[in-house]
Amino acid sequence: MFEYQMVNDGIKMTVHLKGDMDIEITEVMEEELIPALQKAQEVELNFAAVSFVDSTGIGLLMNLVQHLKEREILVKITHLSEDIYEVFDLLQIPDIIGRDVFSS
Amino acid sequence: MLKREINLARNIQTKLLNAEIPKLVACELTGTSIPARLIGGDYFDFYPLVDGRIRMVIGDVMGKGIPAAMLMILTRGAFRSAAQSTGGPGDTLTAMNKALYKDFRALRSFVTLLCADWDPKQGTLTFANAGHPLPILLGGNQVSELPKVSGVMLGGLPNQIYEEKQVRIAPNQYVLFYTDGIIEAQNQAGEQFTRERLKKILLENEGKSVQQLEQAVVQSVYQFSNGMNQKDDITMVLLRI
C-alpha cells in the first residue's frame, strides 16, 4: 500500500511518501507525481513513512529526481531510514543522482 | 491473440534464460529463475572460457514483466559478447556498461549484475559487482558474504571501472548467487524473508547436492510467503566445489 500527500508552502512542495515503493507505484510516479511537481521551484521528498524500496522503486525514484533536476528544480530526499540508505549506498545511488540530493 | 504472443515471448525468454549449465569436473553447478509474473526480468548465464574458467553472471533488470524481459535479453547479448572478449569479470562489466549505458538511460532503466569467474585449476572465484547483492559462502557449518566489492549498476553512470576481488573456495564449500526477490519475498503480515532466514536454510541443508539445496531454498520461500503473490522474481545460482 502506497500513498502520498503534497504540502505546498508557497516556495517548497513537500511530498510525504508513505508505504512500500515498488512496481505498484509506477503509475503514481509517472502519471501523478512527475506532472504535479514539474512546475515547483523546490521539492522535498520526505521518506519518513517509507519502509521499503525495491529495485523498481529505486529506478522510479531516480527517474523522478533526474526529471526534476533536468528542469532545474531543487530536489531533496529527507528522513531516509538507515536501512534504505544502506541499499541506496550499495547501488551507489548518491553518485548517480547527486550527493546534494540527500540531506540528513 | 495477445495471450498467444505473450506465451510465445515467454517461451523465447525461458529458452534463453535457462542457459545450458556447463558440466564441471569435480564440482556442481545449478541455476534457476522463477518469475513473479508470466515473464521475468531476472537473468543468469554461464560462459565457458577457453582456459577452463567459467564466467557466470546473475542480474536483476529494473521493472517486471515484458518490458524487463526485453531489457534482460539486451543484457544477455551484451554479456555473451563481452565475456569472450574481456579478461576478467570487472572488464566484462565495464564493456557491458559501455554497450548498454545509452540504451538504458534512454529507457530510464538499469540492471544490477554480479559477474564471477570460477577457476577450477586454481580453486579461486574472482568477482566484480554492479550494484548487486553479494554472494553467500557456505561451508564448515558457517555462512558469510563474500568480501564487499562495489560498483555502479549498469546504466547508472558512463565509463565505469569495476573493481575485482578474489576468494579461494575450499572443497565442499558452496557459493550462492541470488537476486533480492528471495530475501524480499513477503508473507501475509508484510514481513520479508530476509537474508538471515536464507542463511539459516543454507546451514540446515549443508551437505546436500546443489539441486537439493536450491529446492530447499525455493520451498522455504514458498512456505514463508504462504500463498502471497510475490512482486519480484526469485533467481539463484549455486556452485559447490
Side-chain angles (χ1 to χ4, degrees), chain B residues 10-59:
Chain B
R10 183 172 196 257
N11 288 342
I12 290 170
Q13 197 222 17
T14 305
K15 279 188 182 149
L16 292 180
L17 179 64
N18 292 325
E20 192 182 338
I21 295 172
K23 296 251 182 315
L24 302 178
V25 179
C27 53
E28 301 174 31
L29 187 62
T30 190
T32 190
S33 185
I34 303 164
R37 299 176 173 215
L38 200 57
I39 298 180
D42 279 0
Y43 163 63
F44 68 89
D45 206 356
F46 306 104
Y47 194 93
L49 299 168
V50 287
D51 60 3
R53 286 177 298 156
I54 303 288
R55 186 156 298 164
M56 51 189 90
V57 72
I58 186 164

Side-chain angles (χ1 to χ4, degrees), chain B residues 85-104:
Chain B
S85 60
T86 50
D91 287 346
T92 294
L93 293 181
T94 295
M96 288 178 74
N97 190 49
K98 194 173 178 186
L100 295 170
Y101 176 75
K102 279 190 180 169
D103 288 344
F104 270 77

Side-chain angles (χ1 to χ4, degrees), chain A residues 1 20 22-24 52-60 62-64 66-67 70-71 86-87 89-93 95-96, chain B residues 37 60-64 105 108-110 112 129-133 148 150-153 156-157 160 180 184 186 192 231-232:
Chain A
M1 183 67 186
D20 293 350
D22 53 32
I23 195 163
E24 307 296 335
F52 171 66
V53 188
D54 78 353
S55 59
T56 303
I58 289 171
L60 293 165
M62 281 170 53
N63 291 344
L64 172 65
Q66 286 173 340
H67 188 93
E70 280 163 16
R71 279 157 187 75
E86 196 180 310
V87 176
D89 201 37
L90 173 74
L91 290 168
Q92 294 187 241
I93 305 299
D95 294 328
I96 299 169
Chain B
R37 299 176 173 215
D60 182 357
V61 177
M62 177 204 149
K64 307 289 169 298
R105 283 311 346 119
R108 292 184 176 271
S109 188
F110 63 81
T112 69
N129 191 5
H132 199 80
K148 187 177 177 183
S150 55
V152 175
M153 55 205 169
L157 288 171
Q160 291 298 293
D180 56 12
E184 291 173 359
Q186 289 190 4
Q192 295 192 354
K231 292 176 182 170
D232 206 352

